[in-house]
Amino acid sequence: MPGVLALLPEYAGLVDPVAELRAACLAALAWLGDGVVVVADAQGARVAVALLAATGHFGAIAPEGQPADASYLVVANGSARRSEKAPGHLDERAFEFDQAVGTALRAPDPAALARVDASLGEELLAGHVAGLHALGELLTSEHHTVSVDYDDDPFGVQYWVMRWTCES
Amino acid sequence: MTLKLGRHEFADDATLMMAIVNRTPDSFYDQGATWTEGKAFERVAQVVAQGAEIVDIGGIKAAPGAEVDVEEEKGRIVELVARVREAFPGLVISVDTWRAAVGEAVCRAGADVLNDAWGGADPELVDVAASYDAAIICTHTGGVTPRTRPHRIEYDDVVAAAIADTVAYAERAVAAGVDPRSAVIDPAHDFGKNTFHSLELTRRLGEMVDTGWPVLVSLSNKDFVGETLDLPVGERLLGTLAATAVCAMAGARIYRVHEVVETRQVVDMAWTIAGRRPPARAIRGLQ
């Protein structure tokens, strides 16, 4: 899921500008098992904690020593430069970047995720590219089931909400 | 405290637009534009469409002028109140009168609020409000006679005087049986006051809010705005809205206005700056 600050309760307005995204995130988070391990930067972790609490998850954020059957929540997103109104204005490279990341997420292609260009991602204001690398390392089993809850760029920022189940 | 205005209740953080509806031939702002009952009713429908929660129907202009006796005042407004009550059941109907006999007639016709702009000149008005479970607006006038202009009135501390008088009035109303949620205090800008008094009341409105009684402000196009900016009636909207913003920051709950749409925007903006209302829809920088 993306680390969208508008998902935080302290930034709530009378109308929710990210209602559809929020619904997708909450549905995916409710699906996670107990003891969720959050992979995020500091802002993304705040969003994750708030939404996990909203779905009844109060499990520890445990980057080290997690059990083998843990659930993981990776907070990251694509470029924020996908339109002239986007936070980072338009950068045409954003589309190819996001296309490649989206394809790697859907496959999933762990090697491609591990190779996402961090420095290009930074230029394109992508959210927490290190999380995408970590996701690549997590998706190590031979078979996965993948479902896509959300894939859109409503503010010129590419968001995905996706679920993966690793089958051993 | 929850605000109860007759049949209607409002949450602690609600701000309310009270639109002025003059059933008069000579009020200072509109000069009789809504003098006929048909025009006055059209004005009600218009301000309801603009989002006003309250209409304040008056049959006598505040300034000195032709005598309007009780029967004439009732004749101007009672039927209008009944018609508005029937057409707009969700609307709060306030009537601007100081007379108990008129208050009784309009409450019977469906009024929710008695707006006593003249600070308790008729002591029996509170009994009428209590009898009909109506709300009452308790204003400060410095004890002047209704429909007179201030002349050389001075106060040691106009804010202290306004608080003392309006709170005493509210307590008298409650003692008479008015619901404590239904007494509202109003410093009454320009009434019994020079421009410096009204400016000081605006600047220190927070002290009235701190009393805990809900505060109404009636600023719209008044002389203190005109004298401050040296502008005639008709060119006072911006000054009115500036004063409105200051009162909203201080926490005033009800705004008696000619211009509903503009005032609502200003109050929502100031109320939100004050942290009492969320933005309508915030996404900038939060994507």
Side-chain angles (χ1 to χ4, degrees), chain B residues 28-112:
Chain B
F28 81 100
Y29 186 64
D30 56 43
Q31 294 294 316
T34 56
W35 163 227
T36 66
E37 187 177 309
K39 289 290 184 189
F41 188 82
E42 282 176 24
R43 162 81 177 156
V44 171
Q46 178 194 35
V47 297
V48 168
Q50 291 174 337
E53 291 84 3
I54 309 169
V55 288
D56 189 41
I57 297 171
I60 307 181
K61 76 165 179 173
E67 167 70 12
V68 179
D69 65 19
V70 169
E71 289 312 309
E72 169 67 15
E73 187 183 0
K74 285 200 282 190
R76 289 182 179 185
I77 59 178
V78 174
E79 280 186 24
L80 177 62
V81 167
R83 189 174 165 196
V84 172
R85 176 78 292 144
E86 189 177 355
F88 302 102
L91 181 66
V92 180
I93 302 175
S94 169
V95 169
D96 182 349
T97 187
W98 74 88
R99 291 168 167 152
V102 176
E104 176 139 23
V106 295
C107 282
R108 216 178 282 141
D112 299 293

Side-chain angles (χ1 to χ4, degrees), chain A residues 5-31:
Chain A
L5 294 180
L7 292 166
L8 289 168
E10 58 264 43
Y11 292 126
L14 296 175
V15 175
D16 186 357
V18 289
E20 199 179 330
L21 173 66
R22 184 186 306 277
C25 291
L26 291 174
L29 268 52
W31 166 82

Side-chain angles (χ1 to χ4, degrees), chain A residues 4-6 12-15 17 155 159, chain B residues 277-283 285-287:
Chain A
V4 177
L5 294 180
L14 296 175
V15 175
F155 311 106
Y159 305 144
Chain B
R277 170 189 179 275
R281 181 180 185 278
I283 193 63
L286 301 172
Q287 302 99 319

Side-chain angles (χ1 to χ4, degrees), chain B residues 20-249:
Chain B
I20 297 163
V21 178
N22 291 317
R23 182 80 171 84
T24 56
D26 48 5
S27 286
F28 81 100
Y29 186 64
D30 56 43
Q31 294 294 316
T34 56
W35 163 227
T36 66
E37 187 177 309
K39 289 290 184 189
F41 188 82
E42 282 176 24
R43 162 81 177 156
V44 171
Q46 178 194 35
V47 297
V48 168
Q50 291 174 337
E53 291 84 3
I54 309 169
V55 288
D56 189 41
I57 297 171
I60 307 181
K61 76 165 179 173
E67 167 70 12
V68 179
D69 65 19
V70 169
E71 289 312 309
E72 169 67 15
E73 187 183 0
K74 285 200 282 190
R76 289 182 179 185
I77 59 178
V78 174
E79 280 186 24
L80 177 62
V81 167
R83 189 174 165 196
V84 172
R85 176 78 292 144
E86 189 177 355
F88 302 102
L91 181 66
V92 180
I93 302 175
S94 169
V95 169
D96 182 349
T97 187
W98 74 88
R99 291 168 167 152
V102 176
E104 176 139 23
V106 295
C107 282
R108 216 178 282 141
D112 299 293
V113 179
L114 297 175
N115 180 17
D116 180 10
W118 292 103
D122 185 339
E124 293 177 8
L125 194 67
V126 291
D127 301 315
V128 174
S131 298
Y132 289 90
D133 197 22
I136 190 158
I137 313 298
C138 308
T139 57
H140 168 263
T141 63
V144 298
T145 301
R147 303 194 67 195
T148 58
R149 294 200 172 99
H151 183 61
R152 300 182 180 174
I153 294 175
E154 293 192 297
Y155 300 90
D156 290 337
D157 181 336
V158 68
V159 178
I163 289 172
D165 286 6
T166 57
V167 168
Y169 189 170
E171 289 172 347
R172 185 166 68 82
V174 171
V178 171
D179 191 314
R181 299 172 298 166
S182 300
V184 176
I185 63 173
D186 172 5
H189 290 70
D190 274 6
F191 280 56
K193 298 169 190 74
N194 62 39
T195 288
F196 296 94
H197 295 142
S198 293
L199 293 170
E200 183 163 5
L201 278 162
T202 307
R203 186 164 56 245
R204 295 171 56 195
L205 195 79
E207 294 175 41
M208 290 201 77
V209 172
D210 288 344
T211 64
W213 297 97
V215 172
L216 178 151
V217 286
S218 181
L219 313 165
S220 202
N221 299 291
K222 281 187 168 174
D223 280 350
F224 84 96
V225 176
E227 290 195 349
T228 299
L229 300 177
D230 192 19
L231 288 172
V233 172
E235 297 179 32
R236 299 175 178 175
L237 176 58
L238 293 176
T240 297
L241 295 177
T244 299
V246 172
C247 291
M249 284 298 289

